[in-house]
């Protein structure tokens, strides 16, 4: 088997996912295009050497439809011979895209590829692509479908995380993100979005609220109590009948932010890197995906982490840094408790609660965040994982070289 | 054209009025023969150029159509093989073809709804281009199919949402709601109601004004009102609708899920493809055991028992005109109330005139509540109250045809009341006790005329519960039985007939449910799990909530009384210990005290399980698989029903099943505890019981009758069913 290396990783700043977000005026295609162009320009890449461009996008409809990866490849002016593919494994799509590209390389069926993702949530709203699982009674009812916020509250209820627990995690995420931005920890990977005249449209994550406190979060009403009362609480309890009532603790301030953004990661074999003058930054050691119970939905990171560690013949203590997507605070709290991780190893520069979760791109963004921090601290290994809709999880282990 | 179910009348303008009149029935039934005739009508309408339009109406006062012939439906279902499924599918497609002919014939078809239109009858009107309805407040339209475990099969799942949107259509079908003409018009199902006499003229005018009428959904530009399943609003309807369905039914009712699926899948395609989808779901539910047992118990058996199927044939009809009620408490006044509603004069006796009057006040309050809900009038209230005569003097009973005793649940008090009544009533007067547990034979020993002593066990709240349990004592005569059954019919309750035993049938079987819940609690199974298991099994409440609602203190008293009189044991069992701890140590008697196993708010609504429960015993709590808990809770009740059969307490499976569902809400989707056993199969039921007995104790050991029937492969309905009169 061939080793796969990461040569470069870029991500756009994340714009607020609303009409007044800075990136609302920018098409999803343009976000993806600028990420791809950045990879090419920073690495003086002969794009004809690329075997594939794989990008995650969770609502591939409207302007995000018709294989946005290939469209971005063409708009970025890549060689015509570069194919593109859009994939969807919900929230982990960006990481899965990198894993898929890495897999082709490790199998010797490709030498150089880009994995990444894009999601312009202010323009193509979450849920736009419909889907059978939440609506078709023949699956939604037997599978106890509930929206992910209910799942997050269910985790908090079963695991005993209080409103204070989840809120204090959120405050910490905001603090860490603000600190990282202030100290320029993300400088290497952030590629500002500019207009055709070069004027900057956005150069930093604008979702952050560094002044967040327990009091400011305490004022927010639980976001999922009403839909729970409509029927989803009963569905969750029918699946987990040891629960008497759901404790609704999540709200916009302790859940991932809805934002616009794109990311791209350059991967390849050692030989190809050498021939193109690319310096490898890290090796992709192992990756894995699993399915888990779909109603509680967000619990897979623990099991997929164990699976990927086994595959890499490693243990938890061999990992220096963990990036687990902050879909909801309870997801991370549960992960840390079950994996027995100290908070100073997990999401050390903040996460999606502070900076936002552009669905198709986040997985690739977490990869670059972890890599940047490994390099900054001179550490060796990182594990990146995300919980996924319909009960799935993906994880990747990287090792600095 | 050979029409037996319809009368065809063509006027000078070429407009045909088709008057529906099913021969020999008081309501119009959509039988296969009727559908065939409708096909002839549709063909005539299409081919005869002299015919300009069609009005479909009813010749029967008050009834447009009650819907399909359930016996015909059951006929398909009883075959349960691939040929039967094919035949059923072809039949449903035939209905669709005929209804589509009306829609596509190119001439206007109007439904003039001059009576109640339910199920298939309503579906026929949906296939008309226009629906007009009489402004008679007694008329109801709706889809009752879900109530008996079926789905609408005449196009309702496809036409109703295309007419009024999925959001409004789904609850109407899922909840089997029946609505009056103005509500139907408000929803857009029918035109604004008109005086009955104007319907035909209005229909004719509409026909003349709309010569090229077409169904809305046959128009190329047709849009589903509110949007389809993948519009923004439509998505919410299905996402939330699925959750609401699970919340209400715990997914125990396949019919409801099939209605959701038929609507969801049908709205994704055109009407003709959609009707095929509905037909397949209809066949699927027809062949499902749930619909078979629900039709049997909730339709046939209920009707048969309500019409007096258990009556001794030789006895002439009786008519209770004057009733005496002893005890003006909640039960007594409830009994007086429902009797007065039925036109019976009631003498309500209590120990003091004040107590008797307060019973009448309670009835007045019930009537006020009905008035405030628009279900009664002040005139009706005074009419009903005028029939109730409170008194403290037993002399008021002298003309009573029937006296019902609803006094304190104590042998001495009851014996005294019995003797005082005997002293004043006529020889032919029947005496009934409303006791819920004390054996009738024993209570009858205080009576001078034991052949006229019977049990009539009402359920609380009397005005809402549809069941009475009639208990035959050792010496109870046929006239008493006939009187009790006829009286039940007069007050519009369904009677079951059981033989004497402690707890009779209903209290005895239902008691096993709450006992099993307490047993689980004593084992250390966490309370939320027990309660959720009960609800998920299909019971209306978890066992602990049931105990709160009857009163844990009441249940404790009965348990102690039983221990004293029956088992004669010195040591309380685990269930009594828990109840004593809750009531006496923790001062938590139940709903009436605002606290029991649960806490209750000041409106009596339950808020949460008392966290202090975890302080009981040694505090060794654990979880268990909910599937097994559900099984324990249902099987123990079914076992007790089987024991009632063996002891001769129950002799007719209909009494067992109807009594269970109407009396204590036993998982209706099973068709009742005896249907549950038959559906599972005796051998499988016995096997499961043995496994439960091995794991949880002798109370699960299957009795001799069950093991015998398992060996011979019989069913309860096969062995004990009464030969129905031709």
């Amino acid at each position: 088997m061939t080793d796969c290396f990461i040569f470069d990783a870029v991500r756009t700043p994340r714009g607020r996912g609303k009409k007044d977000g800075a990136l609302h005026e920018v098409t999803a295609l343009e976000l993806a295009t600028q990420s791809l162009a950045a990879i090419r320009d920073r690495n003086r890449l002969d794009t004809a050497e690329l075997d594939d461009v794989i990008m995650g996008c969770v609502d591939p409809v409207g302007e995000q439809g018709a294989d946005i990866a290939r469209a971005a490849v063409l708009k970025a002016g890549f060689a015509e011979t570069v194919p593109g593919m859009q994939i969807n494994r919900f929230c982990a799509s960006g990481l899965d895209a990198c894993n898929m590209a890495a897999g082709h390389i490790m199998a010797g069926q490709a030498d150089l590829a880009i994995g990444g993702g894009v999601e312009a949530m202010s323009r193509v709203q979450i849920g736009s692509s419909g889907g059978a699982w939440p609506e078709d009674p023949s699956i939604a009812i037997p599978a106890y479908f509930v929206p992910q916020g209910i799942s997050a509250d269910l985790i908090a209820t079963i695991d005993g995380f209080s409103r204070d627990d989840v809120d204090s995690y959120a405050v910490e995420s905001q603090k860490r993100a603000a600190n990282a931005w202030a100290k320029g920890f993300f400088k290497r990977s952030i590629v500002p979005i500019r207009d055709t005249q070069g004027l900057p449209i956005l150069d930093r994550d604008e979702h952050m609220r560094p002044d967040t406190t327990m009091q400011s979060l305490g004022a927010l009403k639980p976001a999922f109590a009403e839909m729970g009362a409509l029927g989803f609480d009963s569905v969750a309890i029918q699946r987990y009948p040891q629960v008497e009532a759901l404790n609704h603790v999540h709200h916009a301030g302790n859940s991932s932010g809805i934002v616009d953004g794109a990311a791209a990661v350059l991967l390849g074999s050692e030989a190809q890197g050498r021939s193109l003058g690319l310096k490898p930054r890290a090796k992709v050691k192992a990756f894995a995906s699993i399915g888990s119970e779909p109603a509680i939905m967000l619990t897979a990171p623990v099991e997929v982490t164990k699976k990927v560690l086994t595959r890499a013949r490693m243990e938890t203590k061999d990992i220096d840094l963990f990036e687990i997507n902050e879909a909801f605070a309870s997801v991370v709290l549960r992960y840390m408790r079950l994996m027995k991780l100290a908070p100073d190893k997990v999401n050390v520069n903040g996460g999606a609660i502070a900076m936002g979760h552009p669905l198709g791109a986040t997985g690739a963004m977490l990869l670059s965040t972890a890599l940047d921090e490994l390099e900054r601290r001179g550490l060796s290994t990182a594990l990146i994982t995300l919980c996924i809709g319909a009960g799935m999880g993906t994880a990747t282990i990287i090792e600095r070289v | 054209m050979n029409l037996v179910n319809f009368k065809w009348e063509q006027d000078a303008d070429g407009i045909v009025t088709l008057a529906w009149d099913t021969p020999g029935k008081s309501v119009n039934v959509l039988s296969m023969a009727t559908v065939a005739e409708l096909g002839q009508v549709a063909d005539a309408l299409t081919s005869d150029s002299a015919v300009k339009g069609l009005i479909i109406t009813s010749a029967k006062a008050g009834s447009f159509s009650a819907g399909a012939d359930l016996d015909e439906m059951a006929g398909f279902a009883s075959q349960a093989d691939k040929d039967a499924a094919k035949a059923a599918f072809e039949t449903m497609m035939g209905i669709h073809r005929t209804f589509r002919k009306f829609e596509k014939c190119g001439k206007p078809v109007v439904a003039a709804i001059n009576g109640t239109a339910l199920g298939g009858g309503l579906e026929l009107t949906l296939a008309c281009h226009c629906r007009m309805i009489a402004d008679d407040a007694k008329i109801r339209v709706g889809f009752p199919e879900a109530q008996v475990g079926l789905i609408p099969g005449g196009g309702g799942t496809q036409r109703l949402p295309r007419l009024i949107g999925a959001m409004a259509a789904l609850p109407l079908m899922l909840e089997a709601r029946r609505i009056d003409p103005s509500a139907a018009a408000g929803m857009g199902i029918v035109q604004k109601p008109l005086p009955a006499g104007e319907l035909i003229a209005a229909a004719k005018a509409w026909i003349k004004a709309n010569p090229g009428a077409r169904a809305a959904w046959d128009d190329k530009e047709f849009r589903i009102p509110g949007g389809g399943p993948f519009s923004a609003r439509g998505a919410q309807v299905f996402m939330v609708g699925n959750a609401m369905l699970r919340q209400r039914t715990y997914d125990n009712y396949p019919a409801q899920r099939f209605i959701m699926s038929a609507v969801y899948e049908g709205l994704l395609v055109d009407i003709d493809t959609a009707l095929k989808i509905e037909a397949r779901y209809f066949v699927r539910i027809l062949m499902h055991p749930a619909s078979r047992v629900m039709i049997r118990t909730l339709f046939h058996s209920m009707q048969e028992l309500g019409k007096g199927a258990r009556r001794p044939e030789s006895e002439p009809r009786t008519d209770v005109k004057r009733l005496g009620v002893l005890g003006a408490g909640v039960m007594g006044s409830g009994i007086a109330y429902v009797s007065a509603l039925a036109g019976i004069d009631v003498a309500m006796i209590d120990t003091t005139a004040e107590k008797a009057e307060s019973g009448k006040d309670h009835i007045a309050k019930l009537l006020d509540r009905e008035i405030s809900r628009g279900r009664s009038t002040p005139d009706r209230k005074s009419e009903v109250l005028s029939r109730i005569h409170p008194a403290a003097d037993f002399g008021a009973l002298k003309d009573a045809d029937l006296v019902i005793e609803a006094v304190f649940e104590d042998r001495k008090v009851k014996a005294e009341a019995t003797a005082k009544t005997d002293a004043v009533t006529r020889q032919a007067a029947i005496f009934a006790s409303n006791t819920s547990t004390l054996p009738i034979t024993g209570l009858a020993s205080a009576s001078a005329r034991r052949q006229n002593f019977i049990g009539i066990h009402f359920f609380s709240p009397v005005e809402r519960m549809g069941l009475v349990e009639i208990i035959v004592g050792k010496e109870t005569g046929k006239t008493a039985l006939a009187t009790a059954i006829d009286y039940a019919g007069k007050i519009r309750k369904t009677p079951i007939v059981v033989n004497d035993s402690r707890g009779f049938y209903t209290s005895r079987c239902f008691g096993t449910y709450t006992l099993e819940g307490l047993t689980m609690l004593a084992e250390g199974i966490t309370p939320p799990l027990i309660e959720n298991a009960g609800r998920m099994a299909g019971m209306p409440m978890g066992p602990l909530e049931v105990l709160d609602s009857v009163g844990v203190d009441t249940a404790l008293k009965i348990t102690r009384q039983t221990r004293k009189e029956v088992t004669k044991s010195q040591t309380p069992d685990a269930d009594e210990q828990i109840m004593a701890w809750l009531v006496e140590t923790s001062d938590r008697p139940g709903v009436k005290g605002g606290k029991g196993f649960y806490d209750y708010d000041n409106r009596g609504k339950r808020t949460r399980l008392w966290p202090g429960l975890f302080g009981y015993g040694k505090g060794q709590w654990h979880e268990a698989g909910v599937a097994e808990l559900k099984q324990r809770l249902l099987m123990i009740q079914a076992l007790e029903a089987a024991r009632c059969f063996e002891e001769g307490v129950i002799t007719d499976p209909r009494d067992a099943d109807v009594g269970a569902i109407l009396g204590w809400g036993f998982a209706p989707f099973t068709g009742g505890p005896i249907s549950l056993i038959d559906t599972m199969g005796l051998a499988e039921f016995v096997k499961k019981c043995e496994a439960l007995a091995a794991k949880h104790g002798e109370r699960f050991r299957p009795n001799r009758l069950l093991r015998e029937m398992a060996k011979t492969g019989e069913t309860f309905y096969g062995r004990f069913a009464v030969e129905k009169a031709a």
Side-chain angles (χ1 to χ4, degrees), chain B residues 376-530:
Chain B
S376 189
T377 62
D379 279 345
R380 178 84 171 121
K381 174 183 170 184
S382 23
E383 182 197 327
V384 170
L385 286 177
S386 73
R387 295 198 188 110
I388 297 172
H389 314 284
D393 174 20
F394 274 71
L397 297 174
K398 68 175 173 32
D399 291 323
D401 302 309
L402 169 69
V403 175
I404 301 177
E405 167 273 294
V407 307
F408 200 56
E409 195 80 342
D410 175 287
R411 285 184 196 284
K412 255 181 56 191
V413 176
K414 286 190 188 301
E416 217 179 280
T418 307
K420 279 167 121 170
T421 305
D422 280 350
V424 297
T425 48
R426 297 180 286 115
Q427 280 290 321
I430 305 296
F431 188 96
S433 173
N434 176 52
T435 180
S436 59
T437 53
L438 296 173
I440 294 298
T441 308
L443 294 179
S445 61
S447 167
R449 301 186 287 271
R450 294 185 198 151
Q451 75 280 13
N452 285 356
F453 196 104
I454 194 166
I456 302 182
H457 177 207
F458 286 82
F459 296 80
S460 185
V462 177
E463 68 276 5
R464 274 215 313 264
M465 299 298 278
L467 186 76
V468 290
E469 182 179 23
I470 295 172
I471 306 109
V472 173
K474 215 157 74 172
E475 294 178 68
T476 305
K478 288 198 180 137
T479 309
L481 178 57
T483 307
I485 293 175
D486 293 340
Y487 165 69
K490 188 166 183 179
I491 59 171
R492 315 268 291 262
K493 303 280 183 212
T494 304
I496 63 168
V497 178
V498 311
N499 291 316
D500 205 6
S501 103
R502 179 169 278 267
F504 318 127
Y505 169 66
T506 59
S507 304
R508 182 176 154 171
C509 290
F510 193 31
T512 62
Y513 175 63
T514 48
L515 179 55
E516 194 64 23
L518 288 171
T519 306
M520 290 172 181
L521 196 60
E523 288 169 22
I525 295 175
T526 57
L529 203 44
I530 298 171

Side-chain angles (χ1 to χ4, degrees), chain A residues 229-274:
Chain A
L230 279 180
F232 290 112
D233 280 358
S234 179
V235 176
I237 289 168
Q238 289 182 38
R239 186 59 186 84
Y240 291 88
Q242 72 271 30
V243 172
E244 186 192 350
L246 255 64
N247 184 20
H248 291 287
V249 298
H250 289 96
H251 49 71
N254 56 24
S255 310
S256 57
I258 293 181
V259 294
D260 301 342
V265 177
L266 182 62
L267 306 118
S269 66
E270 186 177 9
Q272 184 66 300
R274 229 181 302 117

Side-chain angles (χ1 to χ4, degrees), chain B residues 333-334 336-344 346 348 358-388 463:
Chain B
S333 52
Y337 174 47
V338 299
S339 306
L341 280 175
I344 300 173
V346 184
M348 191 159 58
S358 82
K360 189 168 177 179
D361 289 338
H362 177 69
I363 295 168
K365 282 208 195 73
L366 291 174
L367 285 158
D368 285 336
R369 197 177 63 188
E370 291 299 285
I371 292 171
S372 75
R373 288 180 184 167
R375 292 205 291 250
S376 189
T377 62
D379 279 345
R380 178 84 171 121
K381 174 183 170 184
S382 23
E383 182 197 327
V384 170
L385 286 177
S386 73
R387 295 198 188 110
I388 297 172
E463 68 276 5

Side-chain angles (χ1 to χ4, degrees), chain A residues 82-204:
Chain A
V82 182
M85 175 163 67
Q86 171 261 316
I87 65 160
N88 178 17
R89 208 205 296 274
F90 301 133
C91 314
S93 297
L95 187 62
D96 273 293
C98 296
N99 290 348
M100 200 181 266
H104 294 165
I105 292 158
M106 288 155 82
Q109 302 305 305
D111 304 310
L112 193 73
I114 291 175
V118 59
E119 205 86 40
M121 299 176 80
S122 73
R123 299 169 62 100
V124 181
Q125 286 188 332
I126 184 171
S128 291
S129 60
W133 169 57
E135 276 196 55
D136 186 330
S138 70
I139 184 61
I141 296 174
Y144 303 84
F145 168 80
V146 295
Q148 59 261 44
I150 300 286
S151 306
D153 285 341
L154 180 62
I155 290 174
T157 304
I158 292 178
D159 287 12
F161 297 123
S162 66
R163 176 68 185 259
D164 276 353
D165 292 333
V166 293
D167 280 355
S168 49
Y169 179 82
V171 170
E172 185 60 18
S173 176
Q174 295 280 3
K175 267 218 284 266
R176 292 180 180 193
N179 177 63
W181 267 101
K183 299 210 172 109
F185 291 177
F186 302 138
K187 248 198 335 241
R188 181 165 181 176
S189 301
I190 295 289
V191 170
I193 295 293
R194 301 177 184 283
D195 72 6
T196 53
Q197 305 308 109
L199 300 176
I201 297 179
L202 184 67
D203 62 6
R204 59 187 283 109

Side-chain angles (χ1 to χ4, degrees), chain A residues 130-132 134-138 140-145 147 228-232 234-235 237-238 240-244, chain B residues 229-230 234-235 238-240 242-247 250-251 257 260-261 264-265 528-529 532 536 598 607-609 623 626:
Chain A
E135 276 196 55
D136 186 330
S138 70
I141 296 174
Y144 303 84
F145 168 80
L230 279 180
F232 290 112
S234 179
V235 176
I237 289 168
Q238 289 182 38
Y240 291 88
Q242 72 271 30
V243 172
E244 186 192 350
Chain B
F230 292 103
F238 285 94
M239 226 180 67
V240 176
N242 290 330
M244 288 171 71
L245 184 64
R246 216 185 222 294
Q247 181 176 50
Y250 295 89
D251 198 25
R257 178 150 45 89
M260 295 277 323
S261 276
Y264 168 84
E265 292 179 34
L529 203 44
N532 284 325
M536 288 164 69
Y598 288 83
T607 54
R608 57 153 197 188
L609 279 164
E623 289 172 2
V626 75

